[in-house]
Amino acid sequence: MPTLAEIEAEAKVCVACPLAKGRTQVVFARGDPRADLMFVGEAPGRDEDLQGEPFVGRSGKLLDRLIAEEIGLDRTGYYVANTLKCRPPGNRDPLPEETAACRHWLESQIELVQPKVIVTLGNFATRSLLNTTEGITRLRGRVHPFRDGIVLVPTFHPSAALRGGGAVVADMRADLIRAKRALSP
Ligand code: URA
């Protein structure tokens, strides 16, 4: 089994789909690869493409703050990755063929990090990992068994909280508390 560093080195030069042409760089992950808690988002945006780390823009700052307030961890205490490792042009939705081409990187990350809890952020990551077409509003609010003893806690994408305000933030806080309980039942 290759190490996470080896997988990352391979991913950094991936040209498996056309998104490779438009990227500044591959955005693999940030945080602690030994963490029990992992977050999975959709795809890098402009800030992430430029800086090379997931969730470094406004929605990432909100995410980090909510995690600190509800779980008590700073950004070194969890692992963060996206479903797609390269930025779709203009932040459009990922295409099925891009998701399919990119999927094995996320699978390797889950296998090597071996988190206890995965929090999926928004429709795209949640549907993709739970392999469903159900929407986030119906899927969130409970813990889903995932695989190998890992539980999955779906929540809204922090950009929905930036747009939607207090009610969305309150639901995200409740989901983060669910994740915290699942970490140490
Ligand atoms: N949105 C995501 O889904 N991921 C990022 O890394 C940034 C914004």
Side-chain angles (χ1 to χ4, degrees), residues 1 16 19 24 39-40 58 89 97 113 138 164 180-181:
M1 187 77 188
L19 294 182
T24 307
F39 290 82
V40 179
R58 275 182 75 218
E97 54 271 29
V113 173
R138 290 177 74 101
K180 184 179 186 179
R181 287 205 196 104

Side-chain angles (χ1 to χ4, degrees), residues 48-156:
E48 291 76 23
D49 174 70
L50 291 173
Q51 295 182 45
E53 281 196 357
F55 284 103
V56 290
R58 275 182 75 218
S59 58
K61 292 197 168 57
L62 174 62
L63 177 67
D64 287 335
R65 180 164 66 77
L66 294 178
I67 297 168
E69 288 173 4
E70 301 303 336
I71 307 189
L73 292 172
D74 71 22
R75 70 200 298 288
T76 64
Y78 42 91
Y79 188 75
V80 186
N82 281 310
T83 316
L84 286 196
K85 308 306 186 212
C86 295
R87 183 191 183 203
N91 297 349
R92 65 152 168 74
D93 287 348
L95 301 174
E97 54 271 29
E98 294 160 357
T99 314
C102 212
R103 176 68 184 229
H104 68 107
W105 301 121
L106 180 61
E107 291 294 335
S108 297
Q109 287 173 306
I110 293 171
E111 203 171 322
L112 287 160
V113 173
Q114 290 192 289
K116 283 191 186 153
V117 177
I118 297 176
V119 178
T120 49
L121 301 163
N123 261 323
F124 187 79
T126 306
R127 286 177 173 158
S128 160
L129 282 185
L130 287 180
N131 196 22
T132 174
T133 53
E134 197 82 76
I136 186 67
T137 308
R138 290 177 74 101
L139 291 168
R140 67 153 293 279
R142 63 203 150 98
V143 165
H144 300 251
F146 181 56
R147 65 166 86 118
D148 304 330
I150 304 173
V151 299
L152 194 148
V153 181
T155 194
F156 291 114

